[in-house]
Amino acid sequence: MKVILASDHGGVNLRQEVAEELNNLNIQVEDIGCNCEGSVDYPDYAIPAAERVANGEFDKAILICGTGIGMSISANKVKGIRAALVHDLFTAKATREHNNSNVLCMGERVIGPGLAREIAKTWVSTDYEGGRHENRVGKIAEYENK
Ligand code: RB5
């Protein structure tokens, strides 16, 4: 599995924690920053990362900002992206099983590093269930392709 990882200035610390967790799991990770002193704009990281998932270069992306909200709104503008804003283990698992989410967003100002690491681990290791969910996820793609 190949995962692309990004954050704005509000998510730098959590991004480093998640990178370490993914490395422990032997997952191939490309970290695209930010390597920032000051403020940056989250769409400048979310959109390029999401595009590289949508074009097949990466299987998944993990995007972190202060709340995770800006990253999720931005990533979901990219066709083919199903970005989930997750701050608990139940939805980390459910969004993979039910929504086949290909982008995980979290907020550094919302949760601590221990939970973020567990969420990332759960999310990357949970498979999509397909079945009854296929029709629902398919309707999103159908709308995108109109
Ligand atoms: C940056 O201050 C903050 O707005 C950003 O990290 C994020 O929380 C936006 O959704």
Side-chain angles (χ1 to χ4, degrees):
M1 183 190 298
K2 284 172 72 184
V3 174
I4 184 165
L5 186 58
S7 78
D8 71 355
H9 56 285
V12 171
N13 298 318
L14 213 58
R15 190 182 92 233
Q16 280 159 3
E17 296 278 346
V18 168
E20 216 176 272
E21 190 64 35
L22 297 176
N23 284 332
N24 293 343
L25 295 168
N26 290 319
I27 288 173
Q28 208 181 317
V29 178
E30 184 171 327
D31 185 339
I32 61 162
C34 68
N35 299 310
C36 37
E37 298 280 309
S39 293
V40 296
D41 300 330
Y42 53 81
D44 293 340
Y45 293 86
I47 293 170
E51 282 177 339
R52 293 174 73 183
V53 173
N55 74 14
E57 197 185 336
F58 289 87
D59 301 298
K60 292 182 171 73
I62 299 182
L63 305 177
I64 301 166
C65 62
T67 59
I69 297 170
M71 286 295 196
S72 58
I73 292 172
S74 306
N76 274 318
K77 298 295 178 193
V78 176
K79 190 171 162 181
I81 292 303
R82 293 173 302 278
L85 175 60
V86 172
H87 290 126
D88 66 90
L89 290 172
F90 175 78
T91 50
K93 187 165 177 277
T95 190
R96 285 290 310 128
E97 290 175 341
H98 293 199
N99 315 119
N100 198 15
S101 54
N102 48 13
V103 175
L104 168 68
C105 302
M106 294 187 282
E108 181 177 315
R109 298 173 191 160
V110 184
I111 52 170
L115 180 54
R117 280 174 176 254
E118 284 302 309
I119 288 171
K121 190 160 89 177
T122 300
W123 186 75
V124 294
S125 58
T126 302
D127 290 330
Y128 175 47
E129 276 180 3
R132 72 186 193 278
H133 303 294
E134 276 297 297
N135 203 35
R136 299 159 187 170
V137 173
K139 284 183 177 180
I140 301 169
E142 207 176 287
Y143 177 77
E144 280 180 326
N145 289 319
K146 266 207 290 205

